[in-house]
Amino acid sequence: MTSYKDALEHARELVVKGRAPKTGYRRALYGRSWDDNTSVPLGHNGCRTREDILQRDLVNVTVRPGTGGCVVESGTLLDPYTGDVVYFQRGQGTSALVQIDHVVALADSWVKGAQAWSMDKRRAFANDPRNLLAVSGWVNSQKGTGDTATWLPPNKVYRCEYVARQVEVKRLYSLWVTLAEQRVMMSVLQKCVIPSVAS
């Protein structure tokens, strides 16, 4: 994991531009949801990406027999965005209590560089575990397509980690940021490097 000091420097180095038009954006342009057929970490392991992230981020996981160790039936999440404990039980009406968030939202990537990518690169981005977190469904809906300038996790303890991850994903995929976004990234990370006595 990159240090907060390095993340602050990387945030300073990100290309700053305005948003491109959202024209033409569709989820389908990033491939089939949770596609295992990618070259990113955990790709080509026989399990859909959602199952990989549930297994990585939940504890006390039980897996459905006969699914090759893939399908998560239940588990417990300590939601990084809220600090809440969420019990996951697969089923209609309960599965959505835990969702997989794209830390850098797909729609945000579209207006900051991804329009020019190949389908393979967009599919990789949509399934890259470095850009994915299991979180509470309601907070994932609240975040929507927000970037750092418009949304931060309500759990303030996690904001350093969240912003550092956004910076590193944008750097890894050569996405740009808006000026407002960069300012918030740097403001948050400066407090992580030199914690305020008052905080």
Side-chain angles (χ1 to χ4, degrees):
M1 173 62 195
T2 304
S3 72
Y4 296 141
K5 184 178 179 181
D6 286 345
L8 176 60
E9 187 58 35
H10 295 161
R12 190 177 285 115
E13 294 169 352
L14 291 171
V15 173
V16 176
K17 292 167 66 171
R19 289 180 180 84
K22 197 178 174 183
T23 311
Y25 170 75
R26 300 191 321 278
R27 174 62 180 84
L29 292 170
Y30 290 75
R32 186 171 63 98
S33 293
W34 313 129
D35 195 343
D36 184 47
N37 185 27
T38 63
S39 57
V40 296
L42 303 180
H44 300 294
N45 69 354
C47 299
R48 295 182 69 208
T49 307
R50 174 177 164 81
E51 306 302 330
D52 286 330
I53 303 305
L54 289 173
Q55 290 203 40
R56 184 195 70 185
D57 292 355
L58 273 57
V59 297
N60 302 322
V61 169
T62 63
V63 177
R64 181 183 297 171
T67 61
C70 286
V71 176
V72 176
E73 286 282 15
S74 64
T76 305
L77 172 72
L78 177 57
D79 178 11
Y81 286 178
T82 64
D84 295 339
V85 175
V86 185
Y87 298 101
F88 172 78
Q89 182 70 50
R90 183 175 299 274
Q92 189 175 3
T94 57
S95 289
L97 293 176
V98 174
Q99 297 179 11
I100 309 303
D101 178 47
H102 289 94
V103 178
V104 175
L106 302 186
D108 184 48
S109 75
W110 181 257
V111 298
K112 294 171 185 169
Q115 293 183 34
W117 294 352
S118 67
M119 174 63 94
D120 282 348
K121 185 172 180 179
R122 286 196 292 264
R123 184 184 297 111
F125 180 81
N127 292 280
D128 193 329
R130 292 165 290 195
N131 190 38
L132 298 172
L133 283 175
V135 301
S136 299
W138 71 266
V139 81
N140 189 36
S141 298
Q142 180 193 75
K143 175 191 171 185
T145 62
D147 62 18
T148 307
T150 59
W151 190 89
L152 289 170
N155 179 17
K156 292 181 180 179
V157 173
Y158 192 71
R159 287 182 179 178
C160 293
E161 180 72 22
Y162 175 79
V163 173
R165 188 182 283 245
Q166 279 226 339
V167 169
E168 293 312 311
V169 168
K170 292 209 164 188
R171 181 172 180 259
L172 177 66
Y173 281 89
S174 300
L175 292 167
W176 68 76
V177 292
T178 64
L179 182 57
E181 185 181 2
Q182 185 188 52
R183 283 175 172 164
V184 173
M185 285 174 163
M186 293 179 64
S187 174
V188 170
L189 290 169
Q190 280 165 350
K191 294 172 188 171
C192 308
V193 173
I194 309 173
S196 168
V197 175
S199 65

